[in-house]
Amino acid sequence: MANVTTAQLFEEPFDADEYIERLAWRTPGGGSKGGAEAFDPKKLLEEFVNHIEELKQLDERIQRKVEKLEQQCHREAKEFAHKVQDLQRSNQVAFQHFQELDEHISYVATKVCHLGDQLEGVNTPRQRAVEAQRLMTYFNEFLDGELRSDVFNNPDKIKEAADIIQKLHLIAQELPFDRFSDVKAKIASKYHDLERQLIQEFTAAQRRGEIGRMREVAAVLLHFKGYAHCVDVYIKQCQEAHVKERLDETRNSDVEQYLKNLYDLYTRTTALAAKLSDFNLGSDKHTFLSKLIKNIFSCYLESYIDMERQYLQNRSGMILQRYYDSKNHQKRPVGTGSIQELKERIRQRTNLPLGPSIDTHGETFLSQEVVVNLLQETRHAFERCNKLSDPADLPKNAFSIFLLLVEYLCVDHIDYALEIGLSAIPSADAKNVNLYFLDVVQQANTIFHLFDKQFNDHLMPLISSSPKLTECLHKKKEVIEQMEVKLDTGIDRTLNCMIGQMKHILATEQKKTDFKPEDENNVMIQYTTACSKVCAYVSKQVERVRRSMDGKNVDTVLTELGVRFHRLIHEHLQQFSYSSMGGMLAICDVAEYRRSAKDFRVPLVLQLFDTLHALCNLLVVAPDNLKQVCSGEQLTNLDRNLLHAFVQLRVDYRSARLGRHFS
């Protein structure tokens, strides 16, 4: 127990002060800080003395153990040294035996080599003689004209036959032509026949994927002149197998992927051919490479444009149908010659009320997403056409793709939307209508810019140097003119509707008493309610026109709208009689109309309203000053009947005998 306790006190890491402290704490009455028992120095001293004795005994035991281990170590070291010496002596003896054995083997090998040389010197002439005799036998068969040996008639021995015919072919080259021309021709014929069979066997093995058989046949062909053709066949087969695998699996199931794969493979192949042309492949390397590419892709390129057109038709039709389905719209037949169509044509050109217009609920039936998809598909088609078409057929093929773009984008989408938009325009006398045709115009213009950009960027480079350029430009012009006619018709009818709406506002809001008030001295308004509402309506329509048009079209349409607006106001003002205060109010209205005319930013429109404003002055000017006013700068060039007509609108025309001023 004492030993255990001592061992516990020697726990690592060892510290002498810590060791004494722990020993004191373990001793009853040895603690310095108090505890269960009071401090007892005698007990502590007795414990220290006993512990010192224990440590001395422990040290003696450890020392004896160490001495014993050292003696054992010295003894084992001596024994190991003796064993090592014995092994070294044994190894030296074995090494000497190996040297003796090596010398003996070298001696025997020298004797064997010498014997082999002697045997070879005897056997080689004999083998050559046997081989010569065998070849002479086969040569005699060619000389007789009858190949009786099994080696020439057994397809399984084609390898052996190839070896024989190759050697006979070399021998025949050394024979004089005049005496052996017949046999030389027969050997050459058999030589080329076997060469052809070997190449066919190599091709068949490659198709079956038998690499071992290919290696075996190639080794035989190595000594034939047609070995290079074997390499060509291998390369061609590798290309054809890869191309066939990539294309045939999608040709009937996924035409889009098939066209992408064909374009990708053909592009990569031509790029590879361009790199290969940098190497020394002979003087006619470009023709050689082109021929290889044609052999690989010819069966696919022949039917390319038909598949391209069929895919583009199906894809374009699907894009359009998916769009109309998303709008829950069933396409109406356009240009069918039906009674409804006739009514629509008449209504478009005459504005006669031949039944209600179509309510599209503000839908233009034009989609930039659809247009982008159609143009993207066509762009890919142009890219494939440029790469995959024969140069002689490229303009014709590109034109056929362009016609499909015209059919599906311009006719089936834009033109159809214009037809629907025209059908949705209400008659000019309709009340409180929403005019969406300008939205159709805006989107149609944007779409046609995209169409024109693709025409210039992707089609023109393909046809610019061919007669098809004239056809394409004529077709494009024809399409533009057809759409411009419908756009002009729709814009004209839309302007009529705008004027009709203004006319409705004036008819419902303008009172006769506005210009002949009962109390001339109690007029508190700056302009009439009708004028205010018309000007607000005009301002909105001018802004809509600016948003919907671009370029010179803005000024053209606003000019037409402004002229019609002026004519409406001019005719409207001639429907009333004007008192002195009413004439002043009419001048205020025209001034407000003129302020709206400034929004048009068209000089002609502003000039017309300036003249109208000057005409309205005739309603209030003193009778004696009428001639002077009529001779003013703005009125002097006007028809006297027009001036007289305005003066007749005054309530004092008869009483003041104003007509005499125009007699």
Side-chain angles (χ1 to χ4, degrees):
M1 181 65 184
N3 291 338
V4 174
T5 303
T6 302
Q8 292 176 350
L9 292 174
F10 276 104
E11 292 178 355
E12 292 293 338
F14 179 75
D15 182 277
D17 294 336
E18 180 68 20
Y19 176 76
I20 297 298
E21 185 67 25
R22 282 188 289 168
L23 180 61
W25 275 102
R26 288 171 177 265
T27 303
S32 60
K33 296 181 182 180
E37 298 183 14
F39 176 71
D40 189 346
K42 292 183 179 180
K43 287 186 178 181
L44 184 59
L45 176 61
E46 182 181 356
E47 179 63 27
F48 279 175
V49 171
N50 293 336
H51 195 71
I52 290 172
E53 288 299 324
E54 290 178 3
L55 290 175
K56 288 180 179 179
Q57 294 175 5
L58 179 62
D59 180 63
E60 290 175 358
R61 288 196 298 273
I62 292 174
Q63 189 62 34
R64 287 195 298 272
K65 188 174 182 180
V66 169
E67 291 175 354
K68 182 177 179 181
L69 290 173
E70 287 178 349
Q71 292 175 359
Q72 182 179 356
C73 182
H74 287 305
R75 184 171 60 255
E76 291 180 355
K78 290 180 180 180
E79 292 177 357
F80 181 75
H82 289 307
K83 289 182 180 179
V84 170
Q85 291 176 358
D86 292 340
L87 290 173
Q88 287 178 342
R89 285 193 294 270
S90 299
N91 184 55
Q92 188 174 4
V93 172
F95 181 72
Q96 291 175 353
H97 289 168
F98 277 119
Q99 282 185 326
E100 293 174 358
L101 181 60
D102 184 58
E103 291 174 359
H104 187 65
I105 290 173
S106 298
Y107 175 76
V108 172
T110 302
K111 291 292 184 181
V112 170
C113 289
H114 179 67
L115 180 60
D117 292 340
Q118 290 179 334
L119 292 174
E120 185 178 1
V122 174
N123 190 51
T124 300
R126 179 178 176 279
Q127 286 182 339
R128 289 176 179 172
V130 172
E131 180 68 15
Q133 182 183 11
R134 188 167 69 97
L135 292 175
M136 289 175 64
T137 302
Y138 295 132
F139 186 83
N140 286 335
E141 293 185 12
F142 281 97
L143 196 62
D144 296 339
E146 183 179 358
L147 301 179
R148 298 177 298 274
S149 299
D150 181 58
V151 70
F152 293 122
N153 299 305
N154 189 347
D156 296 333
K157 294 185 178 182
I158 188 172
K159 181 179 179 181
E160 185 180 350
D163 180 63
I164 295 171
I165 199 67
Q166 194 269 337
K167 292 176 180 177
L168 288 176
H169 187 263
L170 293 176
I171 294 172
Q173 301 301 314
E174 305 297 329
L175 297 176
F177 182 78
D178 53 348
R179 293 176 55 191
F180 297 97
S181 60
D182 187 53
V183 70
K184 289 178 70 171
K186 293 177 181 178
I187 291 174
S189 176
K190 189 65 176 177
Y191 177 89
H192 293 302
D193 182 57
L194 281 173
E195 185 180 57
R196 178 180 55 79
Q197 292 182 38
L198 287 168
I199 292 176
Q200 289 178 348
E201 176 61 23
F202 180 85
T203 304
Q206 185 178 2
R207 288 175 177 169
R208 295 192 300 267
E210 298 177 358
I211 305 299
R213 181 58 176 166
M214 290 168 59
R215 186 184 296 111
E216 181 182 346
V217 175
V220 177
L221 276 169
L222 181 62
H223 304 290
F224 281 76
K225 294 181 180 179
Y227 179 71
H229 186 61
C230 175
V231 177
D232 294 340
V233 168
Y234 175 73
I235 295 174
K236 180 182 177 183
Q237 282 291 112
C238 287
Q239 291 175 328
E240 286 184 349
H242 177 66
V243 170
K244 185 178 179 64
E245 180 181 353
R246 287 284 304 278
L247 297 180
D248 286 0
E249 64 181 1
T250 57
R251 189 167 191 172
N252 297 320
S253 60
D254 189 347
V255 179
E256 179 182 12
Q257 191 61 45
Y258 166 77
L259 291 172
K260 289 181 180 179
N261 290 344
L262 178 59
Y263 175 77
D264 176 63
L265 290 170
Y266 190 81
T267 302
R268 289 165 55 192
T269 304
T270 52
L272 176 61
K275 293 181 180 179
L276 290 176
S277 63
D278 296 335
F279 297 95
N280 185 16
L281 301 178
S283 58
D284 200 20
K285 56 186 177 182
H286 293 289
T287 304
F288 169 70
L289 292 172
S290 298
K291 186 177 180 181
L292 282 180
I293 295 174
K294 185 176 181 181
N295 290 338
I296 295 171
F297 289 96
S298 60
C299 64
Y300 302 104
L301 297 181
E302 289 173 356
S303 60
Y304 154 69
I305 193 60
D306 293 331
M307 298 194 70
E308 183 74 78
R309 293 183 73 257
Q310 185 63 42
Y311 164 72
L312 200 57
Q313 285 178 322
N314 295 337
R315 180 65 176 168
S316 300
M318 184 192 72
I319 290 173
L320 289 176
Q321 189 58 49
R322 186 169 57 193
Y323 168 72
Y324 294 122
D325 289 344
S326 69
K327 299 295 182 181
N328 294 321
H329 176 72
Q330 181 67 37
K331 286 193 70 174
R332 302 172 61 236
V334 176
T336 59
S338 63
I339 298 298
Q340 181 62 34
E341 179 66 22
L342 179 60
K343 287 183 178 181
E344 180 59 30
R345 296 293 180 183
I346 295 175
R347 193 170 69 86
Q348 289 178 10
R349 286 161 175 75
T350 64
N351 292 317
L352 293 177
L354 300 177
S357 60
I358 297 174
D359 187 1
T360 62
H361 303 286
E363 179 59 59
T364 64
F365 291 104
L366 287 172
S367 167
Q368 287 201 17
E369 180 182 357
V370 168
V371 173
V372 169
N373 288 337
L374 290 174
L375 291 176
Q376 185 175 16
E377 292 292 343
T378 311
R379 177 173 62 83
H380 292 325
F382 281 135
E383 291 173 352
R384 290 191 291 263
C385 178
N386 185 30
K387 181 65 67 172
L388 302 176
S389 295
D390 186 272
D393 297 331
L394 176 58
K396 177 183 67 176
N397 293 345
F399 181 64
S400 67
I401 293 174
F402 172 68
L403 291 180
L404 289 176
L405 178 62
V406 169
E407 177 184 352
Y408 286 96
L409 176 61
C410 298
V411 177
D412 287 355
H413 192 53
I414 302 177
D415 190 73
Y416 177 75
L418 293 177
E419 289 283 352
I420 295 296
L422 287 171
S423 302
I425 299 176
S427 60
D429 57 355
K431 308 297 188 297
N432 300 319
V433 295
N434 291 318
L435 302 176
Y436 297 111
F437 191 79
L438 290 180
D439 296 333
V440 177
V441 174
Q442 179 184 9
Q443 292 185 341
N445 284 334
T446 302
I447 292 170
F448 196 79
H449 285 317
L450 296 175
F451 169 78
D452 191 56
K453 177 175 173 53
Q454 181 162 99
F455 181 91
N456 294 324
D457 293 348
H458 297 284
L459 177 61
M460 286 294 291
L462 307 184
I463 61 172
S464 57
S465 58
S466 75
K468 285 292 179 183
L469 174 60
T470 304
E471 287 189 59
C472 286
L473 292 175
H474 180 267
K475 185 64 178 178
K476 179 185 175 186
K477 181 181 178 182
E478 180 184 344
V479 171
I480 292 175
E481 290 176 348
Q482 289 175 354
M483 288 196 290
E484 283 182 344
V485 168
K486 293 182 180 180
L487 287 170
D488 291 344
T489 302
I491 292 172
D492 180 71
R493 293 182 56 217
T494 300
L495 295 182
N496 285 340
C497 287
M498 292 179 181
I499 298 301
Q501 187 66 19
M502 297 180 206
K503 187 181 295 185
H504 173 68
I505 294 173
L506 292 172
T508 55
E509 299 293 337
Q510 196 84 72
K511 311 298 182 185
K512 289 187 177 182
T513 56
D514 287 345
F515 302 115
K516 264 199 320 185
E518 296 178 357
D519 187 357
E520 291 279 329
N521 299 318
N522 193 24
V523 178
M524 304 299 295
I525 58 175
Q526 295 180 346
Y527 41 80
T528 65
T529 303
C531 172
S532 174
K533 291 187 177 181
V534 167
C535 290
Y537 180 79
V538 168
S539 178
K540 291 180 181 179
Q541 302 314 310
V542 169
E543 185 60 31
R544 287 193 66 185
V545 170
R546 292 195 183 280
R547 288 200 310 267
S548 305
M549 307 289 173
D550 58 1
K552 295 181 179 179
N553 294 329
V554 177
D555 291 339
T556 302
V557 174
L558 287 181
T559 299
E560 182 62 27
L561 176 61
V563 170
R564 297 186 188 188
F565 175 37
H566 167 265
R567 184 185 305 121
L568 171 67
I569 299 302
H570 186 277
E571 294 174 353
H572 174 70
L573 291 175
Q574 290 183 313
Q575 299 175 11
F576 300 91
S577 297
Y578 299 87
S579 65
S580 176
M581 184 55 66
M584 293 297 297
L585 193 57
I587 292 175
C588 292
D589 277 4
V590 173
E592 192 65 21
Y593 291 137
R594 185 174 58 175
R595 188 175 294 109
S596 293
K598 291 181 180 180
D599 294 339
F600 287 71
R601 302 174 197 169
V602 177
L604 173 62
V605 176
L606 188 58
Q607 181 183 351
L608 290 173
F609 277 94
D610 285 342
T611 303
L612 182 61
H613 188 269
L615 280 172
C616 288
N617 286 330
L618 298 176
L619 301 176
V620 296
V621 69
D624 295 338
N625 295 331
L626 274 176
K627 277 192 175 182
Q628 180 182 356
V629 173
C630 291
S631 302
E633 180 180 356
Q634 291 180 321
L635 301 180
T636 186
N637 295 324
L638 295 182
D639 186 359
R640 301 282 292 178
N641 293 328
L642 176 61
L643 299 177
H644 189 197
F646 254 81
V647 172
Q648 287 179 322
L649 301 177
R650 296 171 57 136
V651 295
D652 61 350
Y653 174 75
R654 296 188 183 277
S655 61
R657 299 179 62 194
L658 299 181
R660 60 189 175 83
H661 296 284
F662 296 92
S663 58

